[in-house]
Amino acid sequence: MKIAVIGSGGREHAIIKKIKENPNVEVIYALPGNGGIAADATCVNIGAKDLDKIVEFCVENKIDYVVVAPDDPLVLGLVDRLEEVNIPAFGPRGNAAIIEGSKVFSKNLMKKYNIPTAAYETFDDAEKALEYVKTCPIPTVVKADGLALGKGVIIAMTREEAADAVRSIMLDKQFGASGNQIVIEEFMEGPEVTVLSFTDGKVVKPMVSSMDHKRAHDFDEGLNTGGMGTIAPNPYYTKEIADTCMEKIFLPTIAALNAEGRTFKGCLYFGLMLTKDGPKVVEYNSRFGDPETQVVLPLLDSDLLTIMQATTYGTLEETEVKFKDSYAACVIMASDGYPEHYEKGYEIAIPEEVSNMVFVAGAKLEDGRLLTNGGRVLGCSGIGKSLEEAIANAYRVVDKVHFDNQYYRHDIGQRALKAKESL
Ligand code: AMP
Ligand code: GLY
């Protein structure tokens, strides 16, 4: 089989390494991939948002199955475009990917179908939003409606911050057209859990839960980032909470999308907060999370490609989705200065003995040398029989990988370890 994977991050690298385990796979193309992914797939220089070129490439090269990993091409309708030329693809159609593409849509969906989430108001007029934040409960959370590279959420601790957020999103258009509408919602408190799930629109099979570490520095200080590390499973996500989430959130979400004529197939990402009133949805994503994928897929014991195809063909019910009874951790090695200013172009050395657990994101090949080329450069994962062991194994990989100007957090998983002791 010929497979194409759309995207260029650590998540895509983890997906590619896992798909390679299927003996029927002859070749994997990565569009566009990156310098590190080139060790595991044939990289083709076509951007993930260039839908015309992607479709043309897949037709010309008789691709059997396409995995669309990032949010942008999903929301732009790449899966629909591929279906039109009879190429099956993993991921939701555009009309279902909107669950990530528009926060106004997803909040209204949750309200209509009684799915627990933060109370909210939506605005398409900045004056009305500014009026609202004069009296709303504080802290409050201001969110741009559309995709904003994970940066369109501002937690405002004061009224002034809330008004500034409204102005920067709606008037200064900090996130472009994504800020034409906004959601202003109740500030929630509690541990956060990510649950990725496979669904064919009929059944939902959750993957092992995980915990992201979004802040740049140790002890959850510093700016928000795309994610500095992850662990799985998440100790806060007990069997009892998982059952509640299935009943009150996962199944109702699949049913709600069906009822709206927007059947979702692919990976549905549930960003949850375990509040004192029970689990609530923080956000949905229409795809695998990054860097959650780098801990979840190494724990998958079943064949990833078979499961992905089952979501497309509606046979997920009878398809095995099994996870190892182990733990995983991933530490992101970034360029010093990320998420603000940082330098690029430093040579990266990844010893062969650990390359299996290194997922490359921001790197390019130049004259046969792998060079840093982004903020988040790569992720180092480890698995183990205990969370301690998984964390130690991940940091062992970190110690073996080298590039100058590197930065990483030293406390990935520490909060989860403390939680395990106290639960
Ligand atoms: P999102 O992009 O919607 O996942 O938001 C990014 C992060 O902001 C989340 O992971 C939470 O940590 C935080 N956040 C989002 N919405 C809320 C909320 N209503 N209350 C508290 N924190 C939130
Ligand atoms: N790690 C968060 C996300 O993928 O959106």
Side-chain angles (χ1 to χ4, degrees):
M1 272 206 299
K2 291 177 165 185
I3 311 292
V5 175
I6 312 304
S8 63
R11 163 185 61 198
E12 285 76 4
H13 200 180
I15 290 171
I16 287 168
K17 279 183 189 287
K18 200 75 192 170
I19 286 179
K20 265 178 93 172
E21 292 176 7
N22 182 307
N24 297 321
V25 172
E26 301 151 49
V27 57
I28 304 178
Y29 295 101
L31 282 64
N34 66 47
I37 289 178
D40 291 290
T42 305
C43 293
V44 180
N45 193 13
I46 296 176
K49 287 198 267 185
D50 199 341
L51 269 49
D52 291 339
K53 287 219 178 102
I54 293 171
V55 174
E56 194 184 303
F57 175 87
C58 292
V59 171
E60 271 177 13
N61 291 277
K62 300 197 167 51
I63 301 299
D64 296 299
Y65 193 68
V66 182
V67 176
V68 186
D71 46 12
D72 281 308
L74 288 167
V75 173
L76 291 170
L78 178 55
V79 170
D80 313 54
R81 291 282 307 275
L82 289 163
E83 276 179 4
E84 284 165 18
V85 292
N86 292 315
I87 298 180
F90 178 78
R93 292 180 184 157
N95 75 349
I98 192 177
I99 197 164
E100 170 168 13
S102 167
K103 291 197 194 290
V104 171
F105 171 86
S106 67
K107 294 296 292 190
N108 289 343
L109 185 84
M110 288 186 268
K111 186 188 263 177
K112 181 169 171 188
Y113 293 93
N114 278 321
I115 298 167
T117 188
Y120 71 102
E121 298 288 335
T122 65
F123 297 92
D124 55 15
D125 179 299
E127 288 313 311
K128 290 208 175 103
L130 288 169
E131 204 51 44
Y132 175 76
V133 297
K134 284 183 185 157
T135 55
C136 76
I138 291 293
T140 191
V141 184
V142 182
K143 300 184 172 186
D145 173 50
L147 299 179
L149 296 170
K151 294 180 185 131
V153 172
I154 296 163
I155 298 181
M157 303 310 290
T158 64
R159 284 191 199 289
E160 291 68 37
E161 279 174 29
D164 284 346
V166 169
R167 278 190 287 265
S168 79
I169 296 175
M170 297 197 87
L171 300 177
D172 306 340
K173 295 277 186 242
Q174 195 189 347
F175 307 108
S178 286
N180 289 349
Q181 293 187 73
I182 58 170
V183 171
I184 302 183
E185 70 177 28
E186 172 202 356
F187 174 74
M188 300 188 288
E189 284 177 282
E192 285 189 68
V193 181
T194 300
V195 180
L196 308 177
S197 67
F198 292 109
T199 175
D200 59 0
K202 295 184 282 186
V203 296
V204 54
K205 295 201 173 177
M207 298 178 226
V208 62
S209 62
S210 54
M211 179 192 281
D212 200 355
H213 297 65
K214 286 199 187 223
R215 299 297 199 93
H217 303 311
D218 285 4
F219 313 116
D220 295 318
E221 285 171 10
L223 292 172
N224 251 319
T225 71
M228 295 302 291
T230 37
I231 59 103
N234 185 323
Y236 290 105
Y237 194 68
T238 59
K239 168 86 176 67
E240 191 192 351
I241 291 173
D243 289 345
T244 305
C245 290
M246 180 57 89
E247 184 200 337
K248 301 248 191 290
I249 296 175
F250 305 162
L251 291 171
T253 301
I254 301 300
L257 284 161
N258 282 332
E260 296 290 312
R262 297 172 182 274
T263 295
F264 190 104
K265 297 177 173 196
C267 174
L268 184 50
Y269 170 128
F270 296 94
L272 306 169
M273 198 171 278
L274 309 181
T275 74
K276 60 174 178 12
D277 303 321
K280 294 188 181 183
V281 176
V282 180
E283 64 162 346
Y284 293 114
N285 290 327
S286 58
R287 50 167 178 84
F288 281 96
D290 190 340
E292 287 92 339
T293 306
Q294 293 92 310
V295 285
V296 169
L297 290 188
L299 293 176
L300 180 63
D301 239 350
S302 313
D303 183 63
L304 177 61
L305 184 60
T306 305
I307 300 169
M308 286 179 155
Q309 290 178 312
T311 66
T312 308
Y313 298 121
T315 53
L316 190 60
E317 171 86 74
E318 57 264 32
T319 303
E320 180 196 82
V321 179
K322 227 177 77 204
F323 285 86
K324 293 185 187 27
D325 187 15
S326 298
Y327 292 81
C330 175
V331 179
I332 296 296
M333 297 181 74
S335 299
D336 193 22
Y338 171 77
E340 295 188 289
H341 308 290
Y342 53 84
E343 293 170 14
K344 305 191 269 197
Y346 294 97
E347 184 159 4
I348 307 168
I350 305 171
E352 181 65 38
E353 53 181 301
V354 295
S355 67
N356 212 21
M357 291 305 262
V358 177
F359 305 109
V360 180
K364 63 172 179 188
L365 272 176
E366 218 173 79
D367 304 326
R369 295 189 314 152
L370 189 63
L371 305 178
T372 64
N373 193 37
R376 289 191 299 169
V377 176
L378 51 83
C380 298
S381 294
I383 57 180
K385 272 286 151 211
S386 65
L387 184 55
E388 289 91 333
E389 196 185 318
I391 295 167
N393 285 339
Y395 279 102
R396 217 164 274 145
V397 178
V398 169
D399 287 341
K400 297 221 158 103
V401 170
H402 181 77
F403 57 90
D404 283 341
N405 198 43
Q406 62 177 248
Y407 171 81
Y408 58 88
R409 276 180 62 164
H410 291 79
D411 67 334
I412 299 303
Q414 292 308 314
R415 196 157 32 96
L417 279 178
K418 284 213 185 77
K420 266 180 93 71
E421 280 164 21
S422 64
L423 284 170

